[in-house]
Amino acid sequence: MVEANGQQNDQSQGWQKADARILGQILAAQNVVFALPDTIHIAEFYAQTLLSIPGIIGCRVCLGNKSIQVGEMQNSVCGACETLRSMDEKEHILAPVDSNFQCNLMGQSDIRIITIDSYQHHFGFFVSRINNTAAFDVYHPFIHNLSSYVAVILENRLQKDWLQKARDELERKVEDRTHDLMVANEELDAARLAALDSVQEAVEARQRIEQANTDLQREAIERKHVEEALRASEQKLEEAARIAHVGYWERDFVAESITLSDEACQIFGLPLQNRLPKLAEWHVQWLNLIHPEDQPRVTQILTDALAGGPPYNVDYRVVRPDGEVRNIHSYAELIRDELGKPLRMFGTMIDITERKRTEEEIRRLNQELEQRVVERTFQLESANKELEAFAYSVSHDLRAPLRHIDGFIALLQNQTASVLDDQSQHYMDMIAESAKKMGFLIDDLLSFSRMGRNDMVESQVDLNELVREVVQEARPETEGRNIRWEIASLPVVTGDRAMLKVVLTNLISNALKFTRPRQQAEIEIGCVPDQKEEVGVFVRDNGVGFNMDYVDKLFGVFQRLHRADEFEGTGIGLANVRRIISRHGGRTWAESEIDHGTTIYFSLPKSNA
Amino acid sequence: MNEHGQEIDMGFTREVLPACHHICLIYDNEEQRRKIVSEYLAAGLKRGEIVRYFADTTAPEEIRGWLLEMGIESKDDDSFRIIKAEIAYCPSGSLVPQQVLDNAVARYAAAKNVGYSGSRACGEMTWVLRDIPGSERLLEYEVGLNMIHDEFPHVGMCQYDARLFDGAMLFKVLQVHPYMVAQGQVVRNPFYIQPEEFLAKLHKNA
């Protein structure tokens, strides 16, 4: 403890003797050396630093295999120094701290050697040559500290270098390993991709197989459904064929076979065949079944169809084995190969015997009916002619006595005018008037009769011209009346001009007559538009009109729809119109409404137009 | 304009130094150097000093980029110029210490006349390693800077790359700079030798 204190006091006394500037240099040198990268620079710097310390006249700094000597320093045998030889700076092979290396100058009286040792390695020496031991001893501890500091720096750098080297080595190994791994990865990747491709292919193949299986199953199901539907359809067809008595057959020219449905067998009157004959055999059998009269025609039609002619579509008779004759209708379609050679022929056949019988019956009945119509028409025409002749003769024969009555009544009235009282005169007037009226009726009847009897003289008749004539002739009736005429362009027709003039005269006369109550009569004559097969003409007025309930009577002989005291006339006019138009092959009709006028139409066939 | 005796903001340290100082920066990594140098220049520009940078290996754009990152847009005008170190130190093709010192004094006088608050320079010293004529007189020049305080209250920083200069040279460099930057910190240099003593030793050894 005493020694320690004594040492402390010695040191304290040493520090007190030390130059602060030198101590500062030693301290600063530590900072400077920290910045120096190379050991040679460090050695140089320290050599200079040591030389500036009092008592030192020369120094050598040995760091590894670098040695710097400054000041008064004898040339020593540093080449023999084990320290320098042992260190390979590049490889950082250093002597361990316990190597016990010695500087060659050790033992000399003016030489002070301070080793530069870290806790691990021996780096070298600070070798000082002194000329003042007392001065040097003041700084000796600080130089020793400096050597330790250098050792620490060098050790740190060494460790750092080793660490860096190890790190570089590690990085190199990592790089190598990474490279190896990358190569391996690439190979693995390639293998994986190849495997994936294979797997993918396998998966796709499996999917395709599964899809194919699914499709196959679906197709099988669909096929089953189709077959079921087909069977059902065939059953229905069979049933329908059975119900409709339709038989079918198939000639297979390749297999040389024939197929006959049950219904076909029944139609032919053949027993149901479990085993069908060959086609050639059947053909002979079939020909024998055909009625001999039909056989050439049927075989010709079949031959033509097979040769590419019209389809096989034929009615013929068969004579069943029991002798019964049946009518059948058969239709077939042909299937050919690419070269046009017939492969198969599908046909249907139906027993039309009953239909034929019905048709024959209908035809016979129609013939009978037509005959009866002809006979009846002939009878009616004869009766009509007789009636016409009777009416004509009656009217003609009645006219002479009526003229006598009329004449004698007139004479009687003249002779008895002064002797007869008023009542008797009135009777006489009534007789005379009735006779006149009867005369008109007979005249009308005669004219009507003539309309049916007289021969027609056909020519081209311009209805415009005819209407102008009729209107002109009607002027006495139109004098003093307010009439608005509207006459359209009319066609030229083929007909009896005189008769057609009677038609127009009657119609225009009626229009003038039944518009008499109107302040302004409006009479329109025109054509019915859009008539395809006939020419329609109408005469329309705004007259009193009539009740359409009685339109059927309108064209009757002596039919009147108005009172005689309102509108004159015998009622023969429209009857004449209908008769004339009928004789021209046309028709007549009317539309009317009470107080809203009447339209009378007539039409002529276009052949007459 | 800084007057003699005033203290100067260095930029990269809180320590305030005398108005006239001559610093050496011994560095071994660029990041550290960049931080110290850019803050040193920025402090001068902020103070309204005339600032010169003598570049040897660093491109002018890079130096202006350092300042720009600090928010200082340096204009290429009289206040801040970046001059090639060889031209600045060896305007006649070789280093003539007195010539360079005279230029520095004249520059300071001109700056003072137009109202700058001071003069600040920073130089990259690697040009010395290229055996340019006169470069062996570098220490003479450095010592000279320390001898003209009165008429040239100058602030300067000399950059020495410890990776390139040898230890003996650096030891001598330390002897001619009153201040040094160690581990990013300005310290009074214990190696510094008064100019007359250094010159005497220099001449004795020569």
Side-chain angles (χ1 to χ4, degrees):
Chain A
M1 190 70 177
V2 172
E3 283 181 5
N5 287 338
Q7 278 186 346
Q8 192 176 12
N9 288 337
D10 287 345
Q11 282 182 1
S12 299
Q13 286 171 359
W15 295 347
Q16 285 169 0
K17 290 175 186 173
D19 183 343
R21 184 167 155 274
I22 300 300
L23 293 178
Q25 284 183 14
I26 292 171
L27 284 173
Q30 294 178 2
N31 283 328
V32 173
V33 85
F34 197 81
L36 298 175
D38 299 334
T39 50
I40 186 65
H41 287 179
I42 293 171
E44 285 170 345
F45 188 83
Y46 271 123
Q48 293 293 340
T49 302
L50 290 173
L51 194 59
S52 64
I53 293 172
I56 299 178
I57 57 171
C59 71
R60 178 187 297 162
V61 176
C62 300
L63 286 177
N65 56 0
K66 301 288 189 302
S67 178
I68 293 295
Q69 180 174 296
V70 294
E72 298 174 21
M73 199 70 187
Q74 61 183 7
N75 246 345
S76 64
V77 284
C78 282
C81 176
E82 291 296 329
T83 305
L84 302 181
R85 283 207 304 273
S86 70
M87 179 175 178
D88 182 342
E89 189 177 26
K90 193 176 176 185
E91 297 298 327
H92 297 293
I93 300 170
L94 285 171
V97 70
D98 55 357
S99 307
N100 200 24
F101 288 135
Q102 298 293 327
C103 177
N104 294 338
L105 297 176
M106 184 170 279
Q108 295 186 18
S109 60
D110 59 344
I111 294 295
R112 298 291 183 273
I113 297 173
I114 297 172
T115 56
I116 303 171
D117 289 341
S118 73
Y119 62 97
Q120 229 176 341
H121 293 101
H122 169 69
F123 289 100
F125 306 99
F126 281 163
V127 181
S128 303
R129 184 173 180 217
I130 59 173
N131 60 357
N132 185 335
T133 304
F136 175 78
D137 285 346
V138 171
Y139 298 103
H140 180 264
F142 302 104
I143 297 169
H144 195 276
N145 283 350
L146 194 60
S147 73
S148 299
Y149 184 75
V150 171
V152 168
I153 288 174
L154 294 176
E155 182 67 40
N156 283 346
R157 287 187 183 179
L158 193 65
Q159 297 297 333
K160 192 176 168 186
D161 286 349
W162 283 354
L163 201 62
Q164 186 62 42
K165 189 180 174 189
R167 191 176 292 152
D168 290 346
E169 180 66 17
L170 194 64
E171 277 186 10
R172 190 185 58 75
K173 284 182 178 174
V174 167
E175 276 181 15
D176 290 348
R177 185 64 183 147
T178 303
H179 178 261
D180 292 346
L181 285 172
M182 281 174 71
V183 170
N185 266 350
E186 282 172 8
E187 289 171 359
L188 211 60
D189 233 18
R192 187 174 59 83
L193 286 174
L196 275 176
D197 284 348
S198 301
V199 169
Q200 180 71 18
E201 282 175 10
V203 167
E204 285 175 1
R206 184 184 174 85
Q207 284 174 344
R208 283 198 295 272
I209 290 168
E210 285 176 355
Q211 184 61 41
N213 278 338
T214 307
D215 291 347
L216 211 59
Q217 286 172 359
R218 183 171 50 73
E219 281 173 14
I221 292 168
E222 283 175 2
R223 189 181 176 84
K224 191 178 176 185
H225 288 166
V226 168
E227 283 174 357
E228 286 173 356
L230 196 62
R231 269 199 299 277
S233 177
E234 282 175 352
Q235 284 174 354
K236 286 177 184 174
L237 193 64
E238 284 273 2
E239 186 67 10
R242 189 184 62 75
I243 293 168
H245 298 293
V246 176
Y248 66 86
W249 49 268
E250 178 185 348
R251 290 184 181 219
D252 190 330
F253 300 109
V254 179
E256 295 184 345
S257 63
I258 177 72
T259 304
L260 288 176
S261 72
D262 293 350
E263 194 63 29
C265 289
Q266 286 179 2
I267 290 171
F268 282 125
L270 299 172
L272 296 183
Q273 300 182 5
N274 290 328
R275 190 178 61 81
L276 290 165
K278 298 295 280 182
L279 182 58
E281 189 184 334
W282 159 253
H283 188 70
V284 174
Q285 187 181 356
W286 173 67
L287 287 176
N288 287 334
L289 285 167
I290 298 173
H291 193 287
E293 291 177 2
D294 296 341
Q295 207 180 74
R297 179 173 58 86
V298 175
T299 50
Q300 186 60 52
I301 288 172
L302 178 61
T303 305
D304 291 346
L306 289 171
Y312 180 78
N313 189 3
V314 62
D315 290 353
Y316 63 95
R317 289 169 292 177
V318 294
V319 184
R320 287 178 170 174
D322 61 2
E324 185 181 1
V325 177
R326 305 295 294 183
N327 290 79
I328 65 169
H329 170 75
S330 187
Y331 173 81
E333 285 190 356
L334 201 56
I335 293 183
R336 301 175 185 274
D337 63 11
E338 303 86 34
L339 301 174
K341 184 182 175 186
L343 296 175
R344 289 192 300 276
M345 195 173 196
F346 299 96
T348 59
M349 55 191 298
I350 185 166
D351 189 334
I352 57 170
T353 306
E354 295 306 320
R355 197 181 81 193
K356 282 276 185 191
R357 279 179 188 158
T358 304
E359 285 174 359
E360 182 61 28
E361 184 66 17
I362 289 169
R363 191 184 59 75
R364 189 182 59 75
L365 287 173
N366 277 340
Q367 281 181 347
E368 284 180 13
L369 194 61
E370 280 176 13
Q371 182 61 33
R372 285 167 65 185
V373 166
V374 168
E375 288 172 359
R376 185 67 178 154
T377 303
F378 179 75
Q379 288 171 357
L380 286 171
E381 283 178 350
S382 299
N384 258 352
K385 285 179 180 173
E386 286 173 8
L387 278 172
E388 287 279 347
F390 172 74
Y392 181 78
S393 63
V394 164
S395 54
H396 186 268
D397 291 349
L398 283 175
R399 221 177 135 73
L402 191 61
R403 277 201 296 272
H404 290 163
I405 291 168
D406 189 39
F408 285 119
I409 285 293
L411 288 173
L412 193 58
Q413 281 178 317
N414 287 336
Q415 289 179 5
T416 61
S418 57
V419 294
L420 290 178
D421 56 13
D422 290 343
Q423 184 70 33
S424 301
Q425 286 287 345
H426 174 69
Y427 292 154
M428 292 291 281
D429 290 341
M430 288 291 287
I431 292 168
E433 192 175 339
S434 296
K436 281 193 177 76
K437 192 175 179 180
M438 189 172 175
F440 289 142
L441 288 170
I442 288 170
D443 286 345
D444 286 346
L445 197 59
L446 273 172
S447 71
F448 178 74
S449 185
R450 283 193 199 100
M451 294 300 166
R453 291 163 58 86
N454 289 357
D455 292 336
M456 286 174 57
V457 182
E458 288 193 343
S459 65
Q460 293 292 303
V461 181
D462 185 349
L463 292 180
N464 295 295
E465 188 182 321
L466 211 52
V467 167
R468 276 198 297 275
E469 278 182 26
V470 172
V471 171
Q472 183 63 30
E473 289 170 5
R475 284 194 83 103
E477 281 187 72
T478 61
E479 286 291 335
R481 288 187 59 187
N482 183 11
I483 301 170
R484 188 171 71 82
W485 293 95
E486 188 175 330
I487 303 170
S489 178
L490 299 171
V492 174
V493 298
T494 303
D496 187 306
R497 192 176 192 282
M499 286 188 180
L500 292 176
K501 188 175 179 181
V502 170
V503 169
L504 286 170
T505 300
N506 271 295
L507 297 180
I508 291 170
S509 176
N510 278 351
L512 286 169
K513 180 164 62 179
F514 294 113
T515 57
R516 211 177 289 141
R518 301 290 183 247
Q519 285 290 325
Q520 184 183 43
E522 292 178 3
I523 299 172
E524 181 188 355
I525 303 167
C527 280
V528 179
D530 302 329
Q531 297 280 89
K532 288 183 181 176
E533 296 178 352
E534 53 188 11
V535 174
V537 178
F538 65 86
V539 177
R540 180 175 294 135
D541 63 59
N542 65 338
V544 296
F546 62 86
N547 188 338
M548 281 295 281
D549 291 346
Y550 306 110
V551 71
D552 293 342
K553 295 183 176 179
L554 190 65
F555 294 96
V557 179
F558 300 140
Q559 295 293 331
R560 294 173 52 87
L561 302 182
H562 300 92
R563 296 211 317 263
D565 57 344
E566 289 179 321
F567 298 101
E568 71 281 6
T570 60
I572 198 71
L574 289 178
N576 276 334
V577 167
R578 173 162 280 183
R579 170 156 283 192
I580 290 166
I581 294 303
S582 294
R583 289 198 68 188
H584 279 80
R587 56 196 184 94
T588 51
W589 68 101
E591 291 172 354
S592 184
E593 188 179 349
I594 293 173
D595 286 336
H596 287 88
T598 299
T599 303
I600 305 293
Y601 298 88
F602 70 86
S603 69
L604 295 171
K606 278 213 168 166
S607 56
N608 287 351
Chain B
M1 182 186 298
N2 58 313
E3 295 298 330
H4 183 54
Q6 284 185 334
E7 294 182 321
I8 297 295
D9 173 17
M10 299 296 292
F12 59 89
T13 175
R14 289 178 180 274
E15 187 165 1
V16 181
L17 298 185
C20 180
H21 56 253
H22 182 201
I23 307 173
C24 73
L25 167 65
I26 296 174
Y27 64 93
D28 64 344
N29 74 77
E30 288 300 323
E31 190 181 352
Q32 184 190 47
R33 171 204 170 216
R34 171 187 166 169
K35 184 176 187 309
I36 290 168
V37 170
S38 59
E39 289 180 352
Y40 176 74
L41 296 174
L45 291 170
K46 285 176 185 172
R47 280 174 52 85
E49 298 173 357
I50 186 169
V51 179
R52 293 290 179 266
Y53 188 91
F54 307 130
D56 186 51
T57 57
T58 314
E61 300 75 30
E62 191 179 348
I63 297 158
R64 291 184 187 281
W66 297 347
L67 294 170
L68 201 59
E69 284 183 15
M70 297 176 69
I72 295 173
E73 191 176 2
S74 58
K75 297 171 185 170
D76 187 17
D77 58 15
D78 205 46
S79 65
F80 179 59
R81 285 197 196 287
I82 299 172
I83 302 163
K84 199 161 178 56
E86 253 185 72
I87 293 171
Y89 291 106
C90 312
S92 58
S94 62
L95 174 63
V96 180
Q98 194 55 51
Q99 185 184 18
V100 183
L101 293 170
D102 289 346
N103 287 344
V105 173
R107 184 171 65 245
Y108 172 73
K112 189 177 176 183
N113 284 338
V114 295
Y116 285 103
S117 64
S119 174
R120 184 176 299 222
C122 185
E124 297 175 5
M125 306 309 289
T126 41
W127 61 272
V128 176
L129 301 172
R130 291 199 292 273
D131 292 331
I132 293 170
S135 59
E136 71 280 1
R137 301 181 65 189
L138 173 69
L139 296 174
E140 193 181 333
Y141 159 73
E142 294 277 24
V143 170
L145 274 176
N146 299 330
M147 297 172 73
I148 53 173
H149 297 161
D150 294 340
E151 69 271 33
F152 180 40
H154 173 257
V155 175
M157 177 185 283
C158 303
Q159 303 173 43
Y160 288 89
D161 190 340
R163 296 164 296 186
L164 301 175
F165 286 91
D166 63 48
M169 180 63 185
L170 289 176
F171 187 81
K172 286 172 183 167
V173 164
L174 284 172
Q175 288 179 322
V176 294
H177 288 87
Y179 295 92
M180 63 183 285
V181 180
Q183 305 298 309
Q185 188 63 36
V186 177
V187 295
R188 283 154 187 80
N189 186 2
F191 295 101
Y192 179 65
I193 300 174
Q194 290 302 318
E196 296 77 11
E197 185 185 347
F198 185 84
L199 285 174
K201 278 176 68 177
L202 197 64
H203 291 145
K204 183 183 173 187
N205 293 333

